[in-house]
Amino acid sequence: MNRINQKLQEDDKILSIYFSAGYPNLNDTVQIIQDLEKNGVDMIEIGLPFSDPLADGPTIQASSTQALHNGMNTQVLFDQLKDVRKSVSIPLIIMGYFNPMLQYGVEDFCKKCAEIGIDGLIIPDLPVDVYADEYKETFEKYGLINVLLITPQTSVERINFIDSVSNGFIYMVSSASVTGSQSGFGSTQEAYFKRISDMNLKSPQVIGFGINNKETFNQATQFAKGAIIGSAFIQDLTENGTAKIADYVKAIR
C-alpha cells in the first residue's frame, strides 16, 4: 500500500509540512526532511521550484526564486533524494507545476519518483479532466497518488468528480483565509470546512492555506483528516535557517 494511504488509515490527525527544495541553501533539502520526520511531522510536501509559480503566495514565491538561484532544478532534486529512503519512512510528496514535468517527460518523471520513493504529486495547474484522460494510468503504473485540489468555489459536481478520480486525499484549499493571521479561521471558512465534511466523500481531506500555528491547525483538523503548513514554516526557515525545526514543530503539536 502507498505510504500516503497507510498514513491516512491511522487514527491521528496528520500534520503535513511544505517547503521549497533547495531553500534556504541548495543542499538543505534532505536535512530538512530528516529533521521534520524526527520531530513528529506525518507527511512532507517538497516544493519543486518553478519560475512562474502562479498558485503560490509571496513567501513561497520568494523561497522558490532563491532556490532556483541556488541551482535547484528537477535533476538536482532527484539526485538529492536518491538515498532518502535509507533514512526517512514517512510519506513524501513532490509539489510542483506541470511544465517542468513535461520537460522532463511525464513517464520518466513518474518512473524516477517511484525509484527514489516519492509517494505522490501535487500539480496545481494540471486540470483533473486532463489528468484523468491522459496521465492517470501512468501515475498508477508507478504507484503514485496525484493529490487533487478543491476550493470554496469548486462546484458540488466537480468535487464529486475529483473524489471519484482521487486515490489518496483531497487537498482542500482554504483560499479565503488570511495568510499570517493569528486569529484563526472565520465563520465563512468553518462553514466551508463543515460543508465538505458533510458530503462524506470517499477521499479524506487535508486542509491547506492559512494554517500557521497550533490554533489554526486544531481548528482545521476539527473538520478534516489533517492540515498543511507551508508559508509559516518557510518564514521560520528564513529567520532561523534549519536550526530551530524541532522548536517549530513542537509549537504546532
Side-chain angles (χ1 to χ4, degrees):
M1 181 186 290
N2 185 290
R3 294 179 192 89
I4 294 171
N5 287 325
Q6 289 178 330
K7 183 61 67 175
L8 291 170
Q9 289 183 357
E10 296 177 6
D11 292 335
D12 294 340
K13 298 296 186 176
I14 289 173
L15 171 60
S16 181
I17 296 284
Y18 168 96
F19 75 99
S20 299
Y23 181 84
N25 302 297
L26 180 63
N27 293 317
D28 286 340
T29 308
V30 173
Q31 182 196 336
I32 291 172
I33 293 170
Q34 292 170 336
D35 287 352
L36 287 172
E37 179 180 47
K38 183 170 64 177
N39 288 288
V41 169
D42 302 299
M43 189 159 59
I44 298 172
E45 296 173 16
I46 306 161
L48 177 59
F50 182 53
S51 57
D52 191 21
L54 295 175
D56 296 323
T59 299
I60 293 177
Q61 283 190 24
S63 68
S64 182
T65 298
Q66 183 60 53
L68 290 170
H69 288 162
N70 290 345
M72 179 54 66
N73 59 43
T74 304
Q75 191 57 56
V76 169
L77 179 58
F78 284 152
D79 289 344
Q80 288 183 347
L81 297 178
K82 68 181 188 301
D83 294 321
V84 72
R85 284 302 175 192
K86 293 180 179 178
S87 59
V88 174
S89 61
I90 62 174
L92 299 176
I93 298 170
I94 290 179
M95 184 170 186
Y97 293 84
F98 197 45
N99 185 271
M101 299 177 193
L102 275 175
Q103 291 180 351
Y104 196 90
V106 175
E107 177 144 11
D108 288 342
F109 191 96
C110 290
K111 181 179 180 182
K112 195 66 179 177
C113 284
E115 287 175 358
I116 62 179
I118 298 298
D119 303 291
L121 300 173
I122 302 173
I123 314 167
D125 60 340
L126 176 60
V128 60
D129 317 72
V130 177
Y131 165 70
D133 291 343
E134 299 182 27
Y135 300 109
K136 189 172 190 288
E137 187 176 325
T138 301
F139 276 55
E140 292 179 348
K141 175 181 176 181
Y142 292 102
L144 294 171
I145 286 173
N146 183 27
V147 178
L148 300 165
L149 293 83
I150 64 171
T151 75
Q153 290 73 42
T154 308
S155 69
V156 170
E157 180 183 20
R158 190 76 166 173
I159 291 170
N160 283 323
F161 176 63
I162 287 169
D163 187 41
S164 72
V165 172
S166 296
N167 58 351
F169 67 90
I170 291 174
Y171 189 130
M172 197 169 149
V173 175
S174 173
S175 59
S177 62
V178 179
T179 302
S181 169
Q182 300 299 305
S183 58
F185 293 106
S187 58
T188 301
Q189 289 79 46
E190 286 203 355
Y192 162 54
F193 299 160
K194 186 174 188 305
R195 173 169 63 86
I196 302 303
S197 177
D198 289 347
M199 289 181 70
N200 293 316
L201 302 173
K202 73 173 178 63
S203 308
Q205 300 94 57
V206 178
I207 297 174
F209 289 43
I211 317 293
N212 50 35
N213 55 22
K214 187 180 185 71
E215 178 191 1
T216 46
F217 175 79
N218 289 338
Q219 199 172 4
T221 53
Q222 287 179 35
F223 301 95
K225 177 61 180 174
I228 302 158
I229 297 177
S231 296
F233 177 66
I234 290 173
Q235 186 61 42
D236 189 77
L237 287 177
T238 301
E239 295 170 1
N240 300 308
T242 60
K244 295 191 175 181
I245 289 176
D247 293 339
Y248 184 85
V249 177
K250 186 178 180 180
I252 304 297
R253 303 307 292 258

